[in-house]
Amino acid sequence: MDLTFTPEQLAFRDELRTWLAEHGPAGSLAPEPDDEDASWEWRREWQRTLAAGGWAGVHWPTEVGGRGATLTETAIFFEELGRSGAPLPADVLGILLAGPTLMVWGDDAQRERLLPTILSADETWCQGFSEPDAGSDFAAVATRAVLEDPDDPTSDWLVTGQKVWTSGAQYAKWCMLVARTGGPPAAGGTDVAAAAAGAATGAGAATGAAATGAAETRPKKHQGLTY
């Protein structure tokens, strides 16, 4: 297997290196603050700088603000980011997980509403997978999601349950949530689905692929979400 970069990949790398030299730690990027909240805002501003340069979601299609980068070019992006000493974008979960999921499973209204705010870091995402009594064992997930109107598959999902170890929940607008849509594990209810729920702000999500309802967050680093 020939692992030599193609001329196109080298051009991608060189363009990125030039941009990072101007905008990254060797250029205009200020040092990271020590304070946790200030550090978060610093990373959010850095992501906005990336977005303005077209580098926030390189693997996203061009029609939704990305560069349409290949897998190799995406690997080059992260390698060069580390090489320059630049931080990751603030909303890595949104860029790598939520955005691509919405592109495949979201409807047009959801993509139009949510994708731009992911790239700009105006609304960030956290991940609600682990639970107090389940850890990261998906088979033991107890958080429930039920349709507000069981006869209307486009109605909102109502979520009850608790998540733990939810990094960044205190800053997030949305949570990528794993919840059980069937019965409890002991009753053979094995249906588990992912949805989006309002996180730190308790905001309602878009109809259909998302959940509604408030979520209470614990302060600072060791986060938990209770719905």
Side-chain angles (χ1 to χ4, degrees), residues 18-46:
T18 299
W19 188 89
L20 286 170
E22 180 179 353
H23 298 280
S28 58
L29 181 63
E32 180 177 5
D34 292 330
D35 177 76
E36 182 181 4
D37 292 338
S39 173
W40 172 260
E41 288 302 324
W42 175 79
R43 288 183 59 208
R44 188 196 293 263
E45 286 302 317
W46 169 241

PDB file of all heavy atoms in Angstrom, residues 18-46:
ATOM      1  N   THR A  18      -0.161  26.992   6.220  1.00  0.00           N
ATOM      2  CA  THR A  18      -0.039  28.438   6.036  1.00  0.00           C
ATOM      3  C   THR A  18      -1.082  29.171   6.867  1.00  0.00           C
ATOM      4  O   THR A  18      -0.784  30.179   7.529  1.00  0.00           O
ATOM      5  CB  THR A  18      -0.192  28.798   4.550  1.00  0.00           C
ATOM      6  OG1 THR A  18       0.840  28.152   3.800  1.00  0.00           O
ATOM      7  CG2 THR A  18      -0.105  30.299   4.343  1.00  0.00           C
ATOM      8  N   TRP A  19      -2.307  28.657   6.852  1.00  0.00           N
ATOM      9  CA  TRP A  19      -3.385  29.292   7.610  1.00  0.00           C
ATOM     10  C   TRP A  19      -3.111  29.214   9.108  1.00  0.00           C
ATOM     11  O   TRP A  19      -3.291  30.194   9.843  1.00  0.00           O
ATOM     12  CB  TRP A  19      -4.715  28.627   7.265  1.00  0.00           C
ATOM     13  CG  TRP A  19      -5.902  29.337   7.842  1.00  0.00           C
ATOM     14  CD1 TRP A  19      -6.622  30.344   7.274  1.00  0.00           C
ATOM     15  CD2 TRP A  19      -6.495  29.098   9.127  1.00  0.00           C
ATOM     16  NE1 TRP A  19      -7.628  30.751   8.119  1.00  0.00           N
ATOM     17  CE2 TRP A  19      -7.570  30.003   9.257  1.00  0.00           C
ATOM     18  CE3 TRP A  19      -6.225  28.219  10.163  1.00  0.00           C
ATOM     19  CZ2 TRP A  19      -8.382  30.046  10.393  1.00  0.00           C
ATOM     20  CZ3 TRP A  19      -7.019  28.256  11.301  1.00  0.00           C
ATOM     21  CH2 TRP A  19      -8.082  29.159  11.411  1.00  0.00           C
ATOM     22  N   LEU A  20      -2.675  28.051   9.587  1.00  0.00           N
ATOM     23  CA  LEU A  20      -2.400  27.885  11.017  1.00  0.00           C
ATOM     24  C   LEU A  20      -1.226  28.754  11.466  1.00  0.00           C
ATOM     25  O   LEU A  20      -1.212  29.254  12.595  1.00  0.00           O
ATOM     26  CB  LEU A  20      -2.114  26.417  11.333  1.00  0.00           C
ATOM     27  CG  LEU A  20      -3.327  25.478  11.327  1.00  0.00           C
ATOM     28  CD1 LEU A  20      -2.876  24.025  11.414  1.00  0.00           C
ATOM     29  CD2 LEU A  20      -4.274  25.809  12.478  1.00  0.00           C
ATOM     30  N   ALA A  21      -0.248  28.936  10.602  1.00  0.00           N
ATOM     31  CA  ALA A  21       0.886  29.792  10.957  1.00  0.00           C
ATOM     32  C   ALA A  21       0.437  31.226  11.190  1.00  0.00           C
ATOM     33  O   ALA A  21       1.004  31.945  12.024  1.00  0.00           O
ATOM     34  CB  ALA A  21       1.940  29.741   9.852  1.00  0.00           C
ATOM     35  N   GLU A  22      -0.605  31.643  10.493  1.00  0.00           N
ATOM     36  CA  GLU A  22      -1.109  33.011  10.646  1.00  0.00           C
ATOM     37  C   GLU A  22      -2.100  33.138  11.788  1.00  0.00           C
ATOM     38  O   GLU A  22      -2.091  34.137  12.522  1.00  0.00           O
ATOM     39  CB  GLU A  22      -1.771  33.468   9.346  1.00  0.00           C
ATOM     40  CG  GLU A  22      -2.333  34.888   9.417  1.00  0.00           C
ATOM     41  CD  GLU A  22      -2.967  35.331   8.112  1.00  0.00           C
ATOM     42  OE1 GLU A  22      -2.859  34.586   7.112  1.00  0.00           O
ATOM     43  OE2 GLU A  22      -3.575  36.423   8.096  1.00  0.00           O
ATOM     44  N   HIS A  23      -2.949  32.116  11.966  1.00  0.00           N
ATOM     45  CA  HIS A  23      -4.058  32.241  12.912  1.00  0.00           C
ATOM     46  C   HIS A  23      -3.887  31.407  14.180  1.00  0.00           C
ATOM     47  O   HIS A  23      -4.624  31.622  15.150  1.00  0.00           O
ATOM     48  CB  HIS A  23      -5.364  31.839  12.227  1.00  0.00           C
ATOM     49  CG  HIS A  23      -5.725  32.702  11.064  1.00  0.00           C
ATOM     50  ND1 HIS A  23      -6.320  33.930  11.201  1.00  0.00           N
ATOM     51  CD2 HIS A  23      -5.546  32.510   9.727  1.00  0.00           C
ATOM     52  CE1 HIS A  23      -6.518  34.468  10.004  1.00  0.00           C
ATOM     53  NE2 HIS A  23      -6.054  33.628   9.094  1.00  0.00           N
ATOM     54  N   GLY A  24      -2.970  30.452  14.189  1.00  0.00           N
ATOM     55  CA  GLY A  24      -2.787  29.570  15.332  1.00  0.00           C
ATOM     56  C   GLY A  24      -1.870  30.154  16.390  1.00  0.00           C
ATOM     57  O   GLY A  24      -1.635  31.369  16.436  1.00  0.00           O
ATOM     58  N   PRO A  25      -1.314  29.292  17.266  1.00  0.00           N
ATOM     59  CA  PRO A  25      -0.470  29.770  18.367  1.00  0.00           C
ATOM     60  C   PRO A  25       0.750  30.571  17.916  1.00  0.00           C
ATOM     61  O   PRO A  25       1.211  31.459  18.644  1.00  0.00           O
ATOM     62  CB  PRO A  25      -0.043  28.472  19.058  1.00  0.00           C
ATOM     63  CG  PRO A  25      -1.120  27.500  18.725  1.00  0.00           C
ATOM     64  CD  PRO A  25      -1.560  27.844  17.338  1.00  0.00           C
ATOM     65  N   ALA A  26       1.281  30.258  16.740  1.00  0.00           N
ATOM     66  CA  ALA A  26       2.432  31.012  16.241  1.00  0.00           C
ATOM     67  C   ALA A  26       2.022  32.341  15.622  1.00  0.00           C
ATOM     68  O   ALA A  26       2.879  33.160  15.286  1.00  0.00           O
ATOM     69  CB  ALA A  26       3.196  30.181  15.210  1.00  0.00           C
ATOM     70  N   GLY A  27       0.715  32.544  15.487  1.00  0.00           N
ATOM     71  CA  GLY A  27       0.216  33.771  14.878  1.00  0.00           C
ATOM     72  C   GLY A  27      -0.627  34.577  15.839  1.00  0.00           C
ATOM     73  O   GLY A  27      -0.156  35.008  16.895  1.00  0.00           O
ATOM     74  N   SER A  28      -1.909  34.732  15.504  1.00  0.00           N
ATOM     75  CA  SER A  28      -2.768  35.663  16.243  1.00  0.00           C
ATOM     76  C   SER A  28      -3.504  35.044  17.422  1.00  0.00           C
ATOM     77  O   SER A  28      -4.164  35.763  18.182  1.00  0.00           O
ATOM     78  CB  SER A  28      -3.797  36.274  15.281  1.00  0.00           C
ATOM     79  OG  SER A  28      -4.581  35.256  14.672  1.00  0.00           O
ATOM     80  N   LEU A  29      -3.431  33.714  17.614  1.00  0.00           N
ATOM     81  CA  LEU A  29      -4.172  33.082  18.703  1.00  0.00           C
ATOM     82  C   LEU A  29      -3.533  33.403  20.048  1.00  0.00           C
ATOM     83  O   LEU A  29      -2.361  33.108  20.281  1.00  0.00           O
ATOM     84  CB  LEU A  29      -4.228  31.566  18.504  1.00  0.00           C
ATOM     85  CG  LEU A  29      -5.000  30.774  19.565  1.00  0.00           C
ATOM     86  CD1 LEU A  29      -6.477  31.165  19.568  1.00  0.00           C
ATOM     87  CD2 LEU A  29      -4.843  29.270  19.348  1.00  0.00           C
ATOM     88  N   ALA A  30      -4.320  33.979  20.946  1.00  0.00           N
ATOM     89  CA  ALA A  30      -3.822  34.323  22.279  1.00  0.00           C
ATOM     90  C   ALA A  30      -3.618  33.057  23.108  1.00  0.00           C
ATOM     91  O   ALA A  30      -4.224  32.020  22.828  1.00  0.00           O
ATOM     92  CB  ALA A  30      -4.817  35.250  22.976  1.00  0.00           C
ATOM     93  N   PRO A  31      -2.782  33.111  24.145  1.00  0.00           N
ATOM     94  CA  PRO A  31      -2.592  31.944  25.017  1.00  0.00           C
ATOM     95  C   PRO A  31      -3.899  31.553  25.703  1.00  0.00           C
ATOM     96  O   PRO A  31      -4.766  32.392  25.958  1.00  0.00           O
ATOM     97  CB  PRO A  31      -1.552  32.430  26.038  1.00  0.00           C
ATOM     98  CG  PRO A  31      -0.860  33.572  25.373  1.00  0.00           C
ATOM     99  CD  PRO A  31      -1.891  34.230  24.508  1.00  0.00           C
ATOM    100  N   GLU A  32      -4.021  30.274  26.020  1.00  0.00           N
ATOM    101  CA  GLU A  32      -5.232  29.786  26.681  1.00  0.00           C
ATOM    102  C   GLU A  32      -5.303  30.293  28.117  1.00  0.00           C
ATOM    103  O   GLU A  32      -4.331  30.185  28.868  1.00  0.00           O
ATOM    104  CB  GLU A  32      -5.257  28.258  26.685  1.00  0.00           C
ATOM    105  CG  GLU A  32      -6.486  27.674  27.345  1.00  0.00           C
ATOM    106  CD  GLU A  32      -6.531  26.158  27.280  1.00  0.00           C
ATOM    107  OE1 GLU A  32      -5.552  25.557  26.791  1.00  0.00           O
ATOM    108  OE2 GLU A  32      -7.540  25.582  27.722  1.00  0.00           O
ATOM    109  N   PRO A  33      -6.437  30.825  28.545  1.00  0.00           N
ATOM    110  CA  PRO A  33      -6.580  31.272  29.937  1.00  0.00           C
ATOM    111  C   PRO A  33      -6.581  30.085  30.897  1.00  0.00           C
ATOM    112  O   PRO A  33      -6.926  28.958  30.521  1.00  0.00           O
ATOM    113  CB  PRO A  33      -7.943  31.981  29.942  1.00  0.00           C
ATOM    114  CG  PRO A  33      -8.278  32.227  28.513  1.00  0.00           C
ATOM    115  CD  PRO A  33      -7.621  31.136  27.732  1.00  0.00           C
ATOM    116  N   ASP A  34      -6.231  30.344  32.149  1.00  0.00           N
ATOM    117  CA  ASP A  34      -6.227  29.291  33.164  1.00  0.00           C
ATOM    118  C   ASP A  34      -7.629  28.989  33.684  1.00  0.00           C
ATOM    119  O   ASP A  34      -7.934  27.849  34.038  1.00  0.00           O
ATOM    120  CB  ASP A  34      -5.327  29.691  34.340  1.00  0.00           C
ATOM    121  CG  ASP A  34      -3.856  29.741  33.944  1.00  0.00           C
ATOM    122  OD1 ASP A  34      -3.461  28.975  33.045  1.00  0.00           O
ATOM    123  OD2 ASP A  34      -3.114  30.552  34.531  1.00  0.00           O
ATOM    124  N   ASP A  35      -8.479  29.995  33.748  1.00  0.00           N
ATOM    125  CA  ASP A  35      -9.831  29.816  34.265  1.00  0.00           C
ATOM    126  C   ASP A  35     -10.642  28.912  33.338  1.00  0.00           C
ATOM    127  O   ASP A  35     -10.589  29.045  32.110  1.00  0.00           O
ATOM    128  CB  ASP A  35     -10.516  31.183  34.394  1.00  0.00           C
ATOM    129  CG  ASP A  35     -11.956  31.067  34.849  1.00  0.00           C
ATOM    130  OD1 ASP A  35     -12.181  30.825  36.046  1.00  0.00           O
ATOM    131  OD2 ASP A  35     -12.854  31.193  33.986  1.00  0.00           O
ATOM    132  N   GLU A  36     -11.414  27.984  33.918  1.00  0.00           N
ATOM    133  CA  GLU A  36     -12.154  27.003  33.118  1.00  0.00           C
ATOM    134  C   GLU A  36     -13.174  27.658  32.196  1.00  0.00           C
ATOM    135  O   GLU A  36     -13.262  27.322  31.010  1.00  0.00           O
ATOM    136  CB  GLU A  36     -12.856  26.006  34.040  1.00  0.00           C
ATOM    137  CG  GLU A  36     -13.617  24.917  33.290  1.00  0.00           C
ATOM    138  CD  GLU A  36     -14.330  23.949  34.213  1.00  0.00           C
ATOM    139  OE1 GLU A  36     -14.312  24.162  35.441  1.00  0.00           O
ATOM    140  OE2 GLU A  36     -14.927  22.983  33.704  1.00  0.00           O
ATOM    141  N   ASP A  37     -13.960  28.584  32.731  1.00  0.00           N
ATOM    142  CA  ASP A  37     -14.975  29.237  31.906  1.00  0.00           C
ATOM    143  C   ASP A  37     -14.330  30.088  30.813  1.00  0.00           C
ATOM    144  O   ASP A  37     -14.785  30.091  29.658  1.00  0.00           O
ATOM    145  CB  ASP A  37     -15.885  30.111  32.767  1.00  0.00           C
ATOM    146  CG  ASP A  37     -16.758  29.292  33.706  1.00  0.00           C
ATOM    147  OD1 ASP A  37     -16.975  28.096  33.423  1.00  0.00           O
ATOM    148  OD2 ASP A  37     -17.223  29.845  34.723  1.00  0.00           O
ATOM    149  N   ALA A  38     -13.267  30.789  31.166  1.00  0.00           N
ATOM    150  CA  ALA A  38     -12.573  31.609  30.175  1.00  0.00           C
ATOM    151  C   ALA A  38     -11.922  30.738  29.108  1.00  0.00           C
ATOM    152  O   ALA A  38     -11.887  31.098  27.927  1.00  0.00           O
ATOM    153  CB  ALA A  38     -11.524  32.483  30.858  1.00  0.00           C
ATOM    154  N   SER A  39     -11.417  29.571  29.517  1.00  0.00           N
ATOM    155  CA  SER A  39     -10.822  28.643  28.558  1.00  0.00           C
ATOM    156  C   SER A  39     -11.865  28.146  27.562  1.00  0.00           C
ATOM    157  O   SER A  39     -11.588  28.010  26.360  1.00  0.00           O
ATOM    158  CB  SER A  39     -10.195  27.454  29.291  1.00  0.00           C
ATOM    159  OG  SER A  39      -9.748  26.474  28.382  1.00  0.00           O
ATOM    160  N   TRP A  40     -13.072  27.886  28.062  1.00  0.00           N
ATOM    161  CA  TRP A  40     -14.142  27.446  27.164  1.00  0.00           C
ATOM    162  C   TRP A  40     -14.459  28.523  26.128  1.00  0.00           C
ATOM    163  O   TRP A  40     -14.586  28.232  24.935  1.00  0.00           O
ATOM    164  CB  TRP A  40     -15.393  27.093  27.960  1.00  0.00           C
ATOM    165  CG  TRP A  40     -16.575  26.833  27.083  1.00  0.00           C
ATOM    166  CD1 TRP A  40     -17.599  27.685  26.802  1.00  0.00           C
ATOM    167  CD2 TRP A  40     -16.832  25.646  26.325  1.00  0.00           C
ATOM    168  NE1 TRP A  40     -18.487  27.108  25.926  1.00  0.00           N
ATOM    169  CE2 TRP A  40     -18.041  25.861  25.618  1.00  0.00           C
ATOM    170  CE3 TRP A  40     -16.167  24.432  26.183  1.00  0.00           C
ATOM    171  CZ2 TRP A  40     -18.593  24.889  24.778  1.00  0.00           C
ATOM    172  CZ3 TRP A  40     -16.717  23.465  25.347  1.00  0.00           C
ATOM    173  CH2 TRP A  40     -17.913  23.700  24.660  1.00  0.00           C
ATOM    174  N   GLU A  41     -14.574  29.754  26.582  1.00  0.00           N
ATOM    175  CA  GLU A  41     -14.869  30.840  25.648  1.00  0.00           C
ATOM    176  C   GLU A  41     -13.726  31.038  24.648  1.00  0.00           C
ATOM    177  O   GLU A  41     -13.955  31.369  23.481  1.00  0.00           O
ATOM    178  CB  GLU A  41     -15.150  32.137  26.406  1.00  0.00           C
ATOM    179  CG  GLU A  41     -16.478  32.136  27.138  1.00  0.00           C
ATOM    180  CD  GLU A  41     -17.659  31.890  26.207  1.00  0.00           C
ATOM    181  OE1 GLU A  41     -17.628  32.378  25.047  1.00  0.00           O
ATOM    182  OE2 GLU A  41     -18.613  31.202  26.616  1.00  0.00           O
ATOM    183  N   TRP A  42     -12.504  30.816  25.112  1.00  0.00           N
ATOM    184  CA  TRP A  42     -11.329  30.908  24.233  1.00  0.00           C
ATOM    185  C   TRP A  42     -11.408  29.860  23.131  1.00  0.00           C
ATOM    186  O   TRP A  42     -11.159  30.150  21.953  1.00  0.00           O
ATOM    187  CB  TRP A  42     -10.085  30.721  25.089  1.00  0.00           C
ATOM    188  CG  TRP A  42      -8.776  30.669  24.373  1.00  0.00           C
ATOM    189  CD1 TRP A  42      -8.056  31.722  23.880  1.00  0.00           C
ATOM    190  CD2 TRP A  42      -7.998  29.495  24.104  1.00  0.00           C
ATOM    191  NE1 TRP A  42      -6.881  31.280  23.317  1.00  0.00           N
ATOM    192  CE2 TRP A  42      -6.813  29.920  23.441  1.00  0.00           C
ATOM    193  CE3 TRP A  42      -8.176  28.139  24.363  1.00  0.00           C
ATOM    194  CZ2 TRP A  42      -5.834  29.018  23.030  1.00  0.00           C
ATOM    195  CZ3 TRP A  42      -7.199  27.240  23.959  1.00  0.00           C
ATOM    196  CH2 TRP A  42      -6.044  27.687  23.297  1.00  0.00           C
ATOM    197  N   ARG A  43     -11.776  28.632  23.504  1.00  0.00           N
ATOM    198  CA  ARG A  43     -11.913  27.570  22.500  1.00  0.00           C
ATOM    199  C   ARG A  43     -13.098  27.828  21.574  1.00  0.00           C
ATOM    200  O   ARG A  43     -13.052  27.507  20.386  1.00  0.00           O
ATOM    201  CB  ARG A  43     -12.065  26.210  23.179  1.00  0.00           C
ATOM    202  CG  ARG A  43     -10.782  25.695  23.815  1.00  0.00           C
ATOM    203  CD  ARG A  43     -10.979  24.319  24.399  1.00  0.00           C
ATOM    204  NE  ARG A  43     -11.389  23.372  23.386  1.00  0.00           N
ATOM    205  CZ  ARG A  43     -12.127  22.289  23.640  1.00  0.00           C
ATOM    206  NH1 ARG A  43     -12.553  22.047  24.868  1.00  0.00           N
ATOM    207  NH2 ARG A  43     -12.453  21.463  22.662  1.00  0.00           N
ATOM    208  N   ARG A  44     -14.171  28.410  22.098  1.00  0.00           N
ATOM    209  CA  ARG A  44     -15.317  28.747  21.260  1.00  0.00           C
ATOM    210  C   ARG A  44     -14.919  29.794  20.210  1.00  0.00           C
ATOM    211  O   ARG A  44     -15.273  29.689  19.038  1.00  0.00           O
ATOM    212  CB  ARG A  44     -16.465  29.269  22.122  1.00  0.00           C
ATOM    213  CG  ARG A  44     -17.769  29.474  21.349  1.00  0.00           C
ATOM    214  CD  ARG A  44     -18.731  30.336  22.147  1.00  0.00           C
ATOM    215  NE  ARG A  44     -19.194  29.691  23.349  1.00  0.00           N
ATOM    216  CZ  ARG A  44     -20.364  29.039  23.444  1.00  0.00           C
ATOM    217  NH1 ARG A  44     -21.151  28.940  22.403  1.00  0.00           N
ATOM    218  NH2 ARG A  44     -20.734  28.509  24.591  1.00  0.00           N
ATOM    219  N   GLU A  45     -14.162  30.806  20.652  1.00  0.00           N
ATOM    220  CA  GLU A  45     -13.704  31.823  19.707  1.00  0.00           C
ATOM    221  C   GLU A  45     -12.745  31.224  18.683  1.00  0.00           C
ATOM    222  O   GLU A  45     -12.746  31.616  17.509  1.00  0.00           O
ATOM    223  CB  GLU A  45     -13.042  32.980  20.458  1.00  0.00           C
ATOM    224  CG  GLU A  45     -14.025  33.883  21.180  1.00  0.00           C
ATOM    225  CD  GLU A  45     -15.057  34.480  20.239  1.00  0.00           C
ATOM    226  OE1 GLU A  45     -14.676  34.920  19.126  1.00  0.00           O
ATOM    227  OE2 GLU A  45     -16.251  34.488  20.593  1.00  0.00           O
ATOM    228  N   TRP A  46     -11.923  30.275  19.125  1.00  0.00           N
ATOM    229  CA  TRP A  46     -11.021  29.606  18.193  1.00  0.00           C
ATOM    230  C   TRP A  46     -11.814  28.841  17.135  1.00  0.00           C
ATOM    231  O   TRP A  46     -11.478  28.874  15.950  1.00  0.00           O
ATOM    232  CB  TRP A  46     -10.087  28.669  18.951  1.00  0.00           C
ATOM    233  CG  TRP A  46      -9.302  27.730  18.079  1.00  0.00           C
ATOM    234  CD1 TRP A  46      -9.336  26.369  18.102  1.00  0.00           C
ATOM    235  CD2 TRP A  46      -8.353  28.072  17.057  1.00  0.00           C
ATOM    236  NE1 TRP A  46      -8.489  25.840  17.163  1.00  0.00           N
ATOM    237  CE2 TRP A  46      -7.865  26.866  16.505  1.00  0.00           C
ATOM    238  CE3 TRP A  46      -7.878  29.278  16.555  1.00  0.00           C
ATOM    239  CZ2 TRP A  46      -6.927  26.830  15.479  1.00  0.00           C
ATOM    240  CZ3 TRP A  46      -6.932  29.243  15.517  1.00  0.00           C
ATOM    241  CH2 TRP A  46      -6.470  28.036  14.999  1.00  0.00           C
TER     242      TRP A  46
END
